[in-house]
């Protein structure tokens, strides 16, 4: 931060090597290799059921790889005993596909719980912080609602607010845009960009929203169901225009692949 | 009833040289007749369809065609690579569109692949392994709970104290009405049954001894444990199970909260603390129930009370209470275990709840007979 000119290549945040993920005998994806660098907005994309959520669960240590390693910086996450991963986990903020808010707590209590646990803030400061996080996702005034009293889309947004509670270094979002109205979805894109710019967070997002992928992502991985491994990695706009893998081009063009389109787009 | 008469659905296979024709006629409707199939169903895709006499159709027709085409794909093996697209020549345009959509993505061979039918020995082996695995899982869970308890006593376990108080209230005060009702009735039943026998010896007063000893040693604590299994153990399993299904437990983990400390510990502590109190209360209520019946058959309450006190020693009175600690721990552990290990669907939560109740009632009764044997050997 103090010396902006030096170090043009940002450090690698997450390195995944030869990752194979299975449920019993069922291989979800094999031999995934990719890197996520600091301040990346990294998108995991692919058809539904291809294993995006499963990959996310591996990255945050909720599932153990069948084969392969995951490194955070230089530290081997997979080799660390699950009970000794607190150091890693404290740097994460996670939003689950369903929101996964704690249903017996109000929205405010949901966001306040990690703050009470890990910060030394006064109750008043925590309350202020909670209102701030809720207004970032457009939910100010909903502090005292229970998760069951708000809609699915609102649950997701509250889940994002909770994931941001501790200003995490790395934010993992599982389909944050699915089920949101166009305006909320747009606001979410803006929010993710500003989080990256103001806090320097790295963001890993599972999403299929093409508009949002092209608007915010600078790097991505495409999981291919046909081959059960990665179809491509790289900047999504470049993948759309130049990827050698037809499945990737089709996906990023909503199935409208033609040579004509290729020449027009570039 | 359809206003128009329908013609029966019919499919005719005809083989002419190398070409296979499928002639579809009649009305293919789910409410209509069962389609008649003429000719032997071949093991190849039709090269042409003929639909001149086809009437109305709903999804039954594309389902019939797709089932045939899919049945041809399977023997080729999972990763045989690209299969030639079957010809759909001759199908009317509205059907063609649907068939193309249905065939666009080849069938997921892994998803359909069923393991070969296992032999009996294999099944037996699998079942024994499953039993062993579940024993291990119970042991592991109990160990984890003990560790959490250890962390609690050295002040390093973290949970919301509110969780503890809410659970304490729920398995204490909120359980009183049902505990009262059941134990009062059990006490009076014991008195009734006892009186029938004892009255014939003119020893009605000993009803008080019988009720007191039976309630305090066995019935009070066992009935309370059964009530709490069905009430609180089930609630623990259902609550934790749906938290698990909703990924709330994962969310705890990724915030660095230990789910054992956070969810199991307050429930375990609350129930272990409340069970002895409930048991004492249940004993008292049972004795009162007996006293009421006693009064009805002519034993004055004061006399009944004195006889009760004379029958009970401090040792006898403490037996039930000692057992209640263990029962409380069993009910809480089994409820939380089943909840945390539940699958992630609403059906799985239901199964987890059932398993929790069955397991804890069984364990309570088995443990109680164990205690009875031990107390007999020790002569208490
Ligand atoms: N708990 C599970 N047990 C077995 N298979 C699972 C389980 N969860 C997911 N799967 C399978 O793994 C694949 C990937 O699932 P998931 O990661 O949820 O996909 P998505 O890309 O839509 O997030 C799916 O084919 C699904 O059938
Ligand atoms: Mg998913």
């Amino acid at each position: 931060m103090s010396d902006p000119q030096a170090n043009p290549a940002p450090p690698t945040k997450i390195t995944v090597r030869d990752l194979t993920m299975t449920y019993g005998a069922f291989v979800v994806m094999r031999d995934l290799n990719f890197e996520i660098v600091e301040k990346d907005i990294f998108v995991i994309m692919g058809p539904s059921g291809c294993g995006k959520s499963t990959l996310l669960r591996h990255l945050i240590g909720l599932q153990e790889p069948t084969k392969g390693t995951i490194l955070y910086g230089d530290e081997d996450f997979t080799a660390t005993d699950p009970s000794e991963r607190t150091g890693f986990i404290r740097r994460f903020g996670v939003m689950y596909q369903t929101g996964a808010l704690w249903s017996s707590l109000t929205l405010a209590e949901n966001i306040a719980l990690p703050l009470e646990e890990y910060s030394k803030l006064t109750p008043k400061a925590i309350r202020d912080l909670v209102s701030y996080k809720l207004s970032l996702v457009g939910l100010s005034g909903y502090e005292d609602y229970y998760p069951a009293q708000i809609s699915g889309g609102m649950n997701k947004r509250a889940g994002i607010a909770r994931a941001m509670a501790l200003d995490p270094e790395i934010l993992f979002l599982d389909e944050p845009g699915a089920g949101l109205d166009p305006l909320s979805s747009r606001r979410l894109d803006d929010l993710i960009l500003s989080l990256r710019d103001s806090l320097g967070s790295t963001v890993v997002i599972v999403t299929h929203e093409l508009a949002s992928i092209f608007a915010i992502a600078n790097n991505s991985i495409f999981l291919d169901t046909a081959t059960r491994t990665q179809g491509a990695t790289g900047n999504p706009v470049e993948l759309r225009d130049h990827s050698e893998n037809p499945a990737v081009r089709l996906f990023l063009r909503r199935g409208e692949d033609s040579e004509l389109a290729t020449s027009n787009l570039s | 009833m359809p206003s128009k008469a329908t013609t029966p659905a019919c499919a005719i296979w005809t083989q002419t040289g190398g070409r296979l024709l499928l002639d579809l006629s009649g009305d293919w409707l789910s409410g209509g007749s069962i389609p008649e199939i003429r000719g032997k169903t071949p093991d190849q895709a039709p090269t042409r369809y003929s639909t001149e006499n086809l009437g109305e159709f709903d999804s039954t027709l594309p389902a019939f065609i797709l089932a045939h085409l899919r049945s041809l794909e399977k023997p080729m093996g999972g990763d045989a690579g690209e299969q030639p697209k079957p010809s759909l020549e001759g199908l009317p345009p509205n059907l063609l569109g649907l068939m193309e959509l249905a065939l666009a993505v080849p069938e997921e061979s892994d998803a359909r692949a069923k393991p070969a039918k296992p032999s009996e020995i294999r099944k037996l082996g699998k079942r024994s392994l499953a039993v062993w695995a579940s024993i291990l899982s119970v042991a592991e869970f109990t160990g984890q709970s003990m560790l959490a308890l250890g962390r609690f006593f050295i002040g390093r376990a973290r949970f919301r104290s509110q969780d503890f108080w809410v659970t304490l209230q729920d398995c204490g005060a909120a359980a009183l009405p049902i505990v009262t009702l059941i134990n009062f009735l059990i006490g009076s039943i014991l008195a009734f049954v006892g009186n029938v026998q004892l009255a014939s010896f003119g020893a009605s007063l000993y009803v008080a001894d019988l009720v007191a000893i039976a309630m305090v040693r066995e019935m009070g604590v066992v009935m309370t444990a059964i009530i709490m299994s069905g009430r609180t153990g089930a609630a623990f399993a259902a609550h934790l199970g749906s938290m698990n299904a909703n990924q709330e437990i994962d969310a705890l983990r990724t915030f660095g909260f230990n789910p054992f400390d956070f969810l199991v510990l307050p429930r375990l502590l609350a129930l272990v603390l409340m069970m002895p109190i409930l048991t004492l209360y249940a004993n008292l209520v049972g004795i009162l129930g007996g006293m009421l019946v006693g009064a009805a058959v002519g034993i004055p309450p004061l006399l009944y009370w004195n006889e009760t006190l004379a029958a009970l020693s401090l040792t006898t009175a403490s037996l039930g209470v000692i057992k209640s600690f263990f029962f409380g721990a069993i009910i809480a552990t089994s409820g939380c275990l089943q909840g945390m290990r539940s699958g992630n669907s609403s059906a799985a939560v239901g199964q987890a709840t059932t398993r929790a109740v069955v397991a804890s009632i069984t364990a309570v009764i088995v443990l109680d007979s164990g205690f009875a044997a031990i107390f007999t050997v020790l002569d208490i």
Side-chain angles (χ1 to χ4, degrees):
Chain A
M1 286 277 186
S2 53
D3 192 2
Q5 294 100 311
N7 202 358
T12 307
K13 206 77 178 165
I14 311 178
T15 314
V16 173
R17 286 198 198 128
D18 299 328
L19 178 68
T20 296
M21 316 183 288
T22 57
Y23 284 107
F26 173 63
V27 179
V28 181
M29 280 283 147
R30 66 169 69 90
D31 300 327
L32 301 182
N33 280 290
F34 58 94
E35 286 182 0
I36 300 175
V37 298
E38 193 170 276
K39 294 196 185 183
D40 252 359
I41 295 184
F42 186 92
V43 169
I44 300 172
M45 55 192 179
S48 46
C50 67
K52 304 181 295 296
S53 301
T54 309
L55 176 55
L56 204 68
R57 292 173 64 82
H58 279 77
L59 291 180
I60 58 181
L62 288 174
Q63 278 173 240
E64 298 303 317
T66 307
K67 187 176 135 260
T69 46
I70 299 167
L71 308 178
Y72 278 90
D74 303 326
E75 293 170 272
D76 193 337
F77 183 62
T78 28
T80 313
D81 190 80
S83 60
E84 277 150 25
R85 286 184 183 159
T86 341
F88 293 97
I89 285 169
R90 288 285 307 282
R91 289 144 64 189
F92 300 166
V94 187
M95 186 228 118
Y96 295 86
Q97 197 165 354
T98 52
L101 296 173
W102 295 305
S103 48
S104 54
L105 308 185
T106 63
L107 298 196
E109 288 169 335
N110 260 284
I111 301 170
L113 188 63
L115 291 168
E116 285 161 1
E117 184 68 24
Y118 295 120
S119 72
K120 298 198 170 60
L121 297 171
T122 61
K124 162 92 171 66
I126 290 185
R127 259 202 316 282
D128 294 348
L129 209 53
V130 166
S131 315
Y132 165 66
K133 300 279 169 176
L134 279 176
S135 42
L136 282 182
V137 294
L139 283 176
S140 48
Y142 284 95
E143 278 86 348
D144 295 328
Y145 281 64
Y146 283 94
Q149 294 171 319
I150 58 174
S151 76
M154 290 158 90
N155 258 292
K156 281 204 159 167
R157 276 145 61 194
I160 296 167
R162 186 182 64 182
M164 300 186 309
L166 297 169
D167 292 338
E169 265 175 56
I170 312 171
L171 197 57
F172 295 93
L173 307 173
D174 195 348
E175 299 199 16
L180 292 195
D181 59 279
L183 289 183
S184 304
S185 170
R186 176 66 203 275
R187 280 183 55 126
L188 180 64
D189 289 353
D190 293 343
L191 174 65
I192 292 169
L193 286 172
S194 11
L195 279 178
R196 195 258 313 258
D197 296 338
S198 64
L199 299 175
S201 306
T202 307
V203 190
V204 180
I205 318 176
V206 170
T207 182
H208 338 256
E209 314 277 304
L210 289 180
S212 146
I213 291 176
F214 295 132
I216 61 172
N218 61 334
N219 202 352
S220 68
I221 181 169
F222 178 85
L223 304 182
D224 195 350
T225 349
T227 57
R228 299 225 170 278
T229 185
Q230 68 199 63
T233 49
N235 182 304
V237 178
E238 281 164 24
L239 290 183
R240 174 189 64 192
D241 298 343
H242 306 296
S243 172
E244 284 137 31
N245 187 336
V248 179
R249 289 200 308 266
L250 273 176
F251 183 88
L252 288 171
R253 291 173 191 171
R254 301 193 70 223
E256 291 150 18
D257 192 17
S258 71
E259 290 313 307
L260 189 72
T262 319
S263 51
N264 280 353
L265 283 166
S266 44
Chain B
M1 282 301 283
S3 51
K4 208 165 49 149
T6 57
T7 43
C10 182
I12 306 167
W13 296 99
T14 30
Q15 183 96 41
T16 44
R19 295 174 63 80
L20 180 66
L21 182 78
L22 177 58
D23 183 33
L24 300 162
S25 61
D27 295 311
W28 288 69
L29 297 172
S30 55
S33 58
I34 295 168
E36 183 192 345
I37 294 154
R38 283 190 219 149
K40 193 170 144 290
T41 304
D43 51 2
Q44 83 183 76
T47 29
R48 233 191 87 76
Y49 297 83
S50 140
T51 53
E52 278 86 49
N53 299 320
L54 185 61
E56 285 182 70
F57 65 89
D58 57 17
S59 293
T60 40
L61 180 55
F64 168 76
I65 301 175
L66 186 68
H68 177 64
L69 296 180
R70 286 280 193 238
S71 72
L72 302 176
E73 275 173 21
K74 227 178 285 166
M76 299 255 192
D79 34 26
E82 288 290 295
Q83 301 211 359
K85 287 258 184 245
S87 147
L88 295 174
E89 203 190 325
L91 289 179
N94 50 356
L95 189 53
L96 193 65
L98 289 173
M99 286 309 300
E100 273 170 355
L101 264 185
L103 289 169
V105 180
E107 188 167 42
E108 179 63 67
S109 51
D110 289 5
R112 183 66 79 84
K114 288 214 181 70
K117 201 167 179 294
S119 69
E120 291 302 317
I121 293 181
R122 215 188 161 90
K123 268 196 244 167
L124 183 72
K126 280 215 155 126
R127 217 167 287 163
S128 340
L129 285 178
V131 169
W132 180 237
S134 82
I135 292 175
L136 283 185
S137 121
V138 169
E140 194 210 326
F141 192 89
T142 316
Q144 294 267 25
S145 310
M146 290 301 125
L147 286 179
L149 215 55
R151 282 195 293 273
F152 172 75
F153 284 118
I154 58 172
R156 297 246 317 268
R158 296 158 194 243
F159 57 85
R160 294 176 77 236
S161 55
Q162 218 177 327
D163 269 359
F164 172 72
W165 294 115
V166 168
T167 319
L168 196 67
Q169 186 191 350
D170 187 60
C171 60
L176 282 183
I178 179 91
V179 170
T180 311
L181 177 71
I182 301 289
N183 284 289
F184 188 84
L185 291 179
I186 291 286
S188 21
I189 292 169
L190 285 174
F192 265 124
V193 177
N195 184 55
V196 172
Q197 299 299 316
L198 293 170
S200 57
F201 300 106
S204 284
L205 184 56
Y206 288 109
V207 166
D209 299 58
L210 185 131
V211 172
I213 290 177
M215 279 314 294
V216 165
R217 279 188 80 121
E218 294 293 339
M219 296 315 276
V221 63
V222 170
M223 290 320 289
T224 309
I226 290 176
I227 293 168
M228 296 315 273
S229 302
R231 200 182 171 281
T232 306
F236 289 173
H239 188 183
L240 299 196
S242 49
M243 282 187 80
N244 192 19
N246 190 26
Q247 297 182 304
E248 290 174 43
I249 296 186
D250 289 344
L252 281 177
R253 285 208 179 93
T254 41
F255 272 114
F257 297 122
N258 184 330
F260 275 89
D261 293 7
F262 217 84
L263 299 173
V264 180
L265 201 51
R267 288 176 171 75
L268 184 64
L269 287 174
L271 199 57
V272 167
L273 224 64
M274 269 344 267
M275 268 302 282
I277 300 177
L278 282 176
T279 302
L280 281 176
Y281 173 78
N283 294 346
L284 189 71
V285 170
I287 291 171
L288 287 179
M291 192 185 278
L292 189 79
V293 173
V297 300
I299 312 169
L302 193 61
L303 189 61
Y304 187 100
W305 183 245
N306 287 335
E307 186 62 30
T308 300
L309 290 186
L312 293 177
S313 67
L314 196 61
T315 326
T316 317
S318 56
L319 288 183
V321 177
I322 292 172
K323 290 197 272 191
S324 71
F325 279 107
F326 291 93
F327 293 173
I330 285 181
I331 296 166
T333 317
S334 122
C336 294
L337 166 81
Q338 297 300 345
M340 302 256 291
R341 297 282 152 88
S342 134
N344 44 12
S345 68
S346 43
V349 174
Q351 287 161 1
T353 312
T354 312
R355 273 200 304 272
V357 174
V358 171
S360 57
I361 292 183
T362 314
V364 161
I365 303 287
V366 169
L367 191 65
D368 191 55
S369 27
F371 274 122
I374 293 173
F375 292 157
T376 312
V377 171
L378 295 182
D379 201 17
I380 358 184

